[in-house]
Amino acid sequence: MSSSPITDYSLIRERLSPDQVRVFDRILNQIGGSSSDPVRLFVSGTAGTGKSFLITALIDAVGAKNVFVCAPTGVAAKQVKGKTIHALFNLPVAKNGEQDDGRLFTAPAVGDNLKLVIVDEISMCSAEMFDRVESAMRAFRPNCGVFGGFSLVLFGDLLQIPPVNARWIFECKWGGVVLLILIFPLNVGVFSAQWWPCFEYEELEVNHRQHTDMEFAEMLQRWRLGRVSGGDMDFLQSRQVSGTPSYAAVAEQYCQNGRGNSMILVQYNKTADELNSRCGLMNGDTVLVQKVHTDQDQNVERLTVTPVDTAEVVTIYRRQPQESGRQQQQQQKPYLPVLPAYAVTYHKAQGQTLDTVFLELPRSMDASLFFTGASRVRSRDDLYVTRLPAGFSIKINGAAVGEYNRLRATIQLPPIDD
């Protein structure tokens, strides 16, 4: 990824599919054109349509030093080599739902060269958080209007994972009642989500991740809409690796069947912690451990690791814990700043492409979670379920489908659920 812009866009365009080129050209033409209007665009598409790849192409074209890139979670931000929304805009971290601790943000330094701000995985960004993003960007340039007059492009899929315990980015709140933004006139500015209608819409339609297994791609689109056919249930039954919910059985099957960049996806951190303790510390969330270095007493001193997405070799050393008060006065044993990550929550997997995935399935779950987890892999042979509960079902979020269809209608695409 280049820090300086690449002037010959043809080299970048050669790497893109036709629909990616369409969006790429639209954004760059507006940024570099004579129009003074900033870009306000939401780029959507199902999992595997190359949204992250397009983000990388835009950064290469505009230059990394001229682009801010962020996402709601740390793992999602890593996928596009950006920062979390909280870190980029210095926002206080919420403690209860979306209620922060009352502290004001402080806008980070912005140079004159900032041309584009990109927010990835926008489905996980709540209306309240998006309000804070607008306030932070306006603080960069107070007299330049909405979002400080900067170009802003959002990427994501409203049918993937929603905000945690918060309102969708497209929903507003009036008198304690959550409603869709379009119910009220756009000039009413006393409720959240007022910025969502500022954005035009584009959609990527070509699936690159599952292009070698179109039957699986069609299966995923049914699951995306909350539909599980009899044939789908037979398939899931055939991919079951354990007839019991035993952690030990799941960990054993993972060690036998997992390959490459593999993960077990679960709903809760507590379950992930239990499974990780069963699998042992070898494979991390972002690195593969190549060698464990010990002292003469066989105590681990350091690890030699390789990030899963590069060939770089990195050495991780023990660190001294940073404690305060009474704990600071006690002797603290240096620790290795790593956690096992054989198992993670569905939220931490959004945006990733995995070689194999193992899904923990409750009897009933949101279609967004199930679809997000299943669509991480390239083919049916890469998907496993830890066990298939009797009567398994998934449910779709009607508000998300309704907003998705409204957006599709603005560019003359049919409803997704036709």
Side-chain angles (χ1 to χ4, degrees):
M1 186 178 297
S2 174
S3 61
S4 300
I6 296 175
T7 55
D8 187 357
Y9 295 159
S10 63
L11 299 177
I12 299 176
R13 295 171 86 253
E14 290 176 356
R15 310 197 309 255
L16 306 176
S17 65
D19 60 344
Q20 290 172 328
V21 168
R22 184 190 72 248
V23 178
F24 178 83
D25 287 348
R26 174 177 177 174
I27 294 171
L28 291 186
N29 288 341
Q30 190 165 347
I31 290 176
S34 58
S35 173
S36 60
D37 295 332
V39 179
R40 298 277 188 273
L41 188 64
F42 171 37
V43 182
S44 186
T46 188
T49 50
K51 296 184 292 293
S52 297
F53 192 79
L54 179 55
I55 289 174
T56 299
L58 288 169
I59 297 171
D60 285 342
V62 180
K65 64 182 181 181
N66 302 324
V67 184
F68 275 179
V69 185
C70 62
T73 69
V75 174
K78 177 188 177 296
Q79 298 303 309
V80 289
K81 294 180 171 57
K83 297 182 178 181
T84 65
I85 291 176
H86 285 86
L88 180 60
F89 296 108
N90 293 323
L91 302 179
V93 177
K95 294 182 178 179
N96 298 304
E98 281 297 318
Q99 301 299 315
D100 61 40
D101 58 10
R103 291 182 291 118
L104 297 176
F105 61 82
T106 55
V110 178
D112 296 333
N113 295 326
L114 181 60
K115 296 181 179 179
L116 179 63
V117 178
I118 295 174
V119 183
D120 194 20
E121 303 298 356
I122 197 65
S123 71
M124 293 191 285
C125 179
S126 67
E128 292 88 346
M129 181 181 287
F130 202 49
D131 279 349
R132 297 184 193 129
V133 169
E134 196 283 328
S135 296
M137 292 182 66
R138 192 193 295 257
F140 298 160
R141 295 193 303 200
N143 301 317
C144 295
V146 175
F147 295 103
F150 292 106
S151 289
L152 176 61
V153 180
L154 315 176
F155 285 82
D157 177 10
L158 295 181
L159 299 187
Q160 293 192 49
I161 296 177
V164 178
N165 298 324
R167 293 180 287 117
W168 288 96
I169 192 172
F170 56 81
E171 288 180 328
C172 63
K173 189 175 183 180
W174 183 273
V177 179
V178 174
L179 299 165
L180 290 181
I181 183 69
L182 294 182
I183 292 178
F184 292 105
L186 300 185
N187 61 351
V188 179
V190 296
F191 52 86
S192 294
Q194 57 187 310
W195 315 117
W196 184 244
C198 299
F199 291 80
E200 296 180 340
Y201 184 68
E202 283 278 8
E203 184 168 328
L204 302 177
E205 299 185 82
V206 179
N207 187 321
H208 301 278
R209 185 178 296 156
Q210 290 91 25
H211 71 280
T212 61
D213 190 345
M214 293 311 298
E215 185 176 345
F216 183 49
E218 293 172 1
M219 196 182 297
L220 288 171
Q221 291 315 300
R222 289 195 294 273
W223 299 346
R224 189 176 182 226
L225 295 173
R227 302 167 183 165
V228 181
S229 69
D232 295 342
M233 290 295 289
D234 291 340
F235 165 74
L236 292 173
Q237 184 73 38
S238 73
R239 305 307 294 170
Q240 186 174 231
V241 298
S242 174
T244 67
S246 163
Y247 290 133
V250 172
E252 180 181 357
Q253 289 295 324
Y254 171 85
C255 293
Q256 291 178 3
N257 295 285
R259 58 179 177 78
N261 186 17
S262 303
M263 286 184 181
I264 305 170
L265 302 186
V266 299
Q267 288 192 291
Y268 305 109
N269 284 315
K270 182 178 180 180
T271 305
D273 291 342
E274 179 64 31
L275 284 167
N276 285 328
S277 69
R278 301 274 177 171
C279 292
L281 177 56
M282 288 180 63
N283 187 11
D285 178 32
T286 59
V287 300
L288 296 176
V289 176
Q290 304 296 339
K291 186 174 182 180
V292 178
H293 303 268
T294 60
D295 60 19
Q296 59 184 6
D297 296 321
Q298 299 302 306
N299 296 313
V300 177
E301 291 186 324
R302 65 189 187 278
L303 302 175
T304 299
V305 302
T306 303
V308 295
D309 52 355
T310 71
E312 180 184 9
V313 177
V314 180
T315 301
I316 299 177
Y317 296 91
R318 287 190 177 275
R319 296 179 181 176
Q320 188 68 36
Q322 299 294 317
E323 302 289 352
S324 59
R326 183 181 304 173
Q327 290 180 324
Q328 193 174 32
Q329 300 174 8
Q330 300 175 355
Q331 184 67 27
Q332 298 290 318
K333 182 178 180 180
Y335 72 102
L336 283 164
V338 294
L339 291 173
Y342 287 105
V344 297
T345 62
Y346 283 86
H347 288 76
K348 293 176 182 176
Q350 182 158 315
Q352 298 195 56
T353 298
L354 301 173
D355 294 319
T356 52
V357 71
F358 296 72
L359 304 183
E360 179 208 35
L361 303 181
R363 184 169 183 177
S364 177
M365 69 186 303
D366 288 343
S368 63
L369 287 177
F370 181 56
F371 168 72
T372 297
S375 62
R376 296 310 93 199
V377 293
R378 301 175 181 87
S379 73
R380 289 167 290 174
D381 295 337
D382 305 326
L383 174 65
Y384 299 88
V385 297
T386 58
R387 60 184 295 269
L388 184 64
F392 172 71
S393 65
I394 55 178
K395 53 186 177 182
I396 193 71
N397 185 289
V401 173
E403 177 60 10
Y404 192 36
N405 283 335
R406 183 193 72 79
L407 291 168
R408 287 173 61 88
T410 65
I411 56 173
Q412 289 73 56
L413 289 179
I416 189 67
D417 48 355
D418 270 1

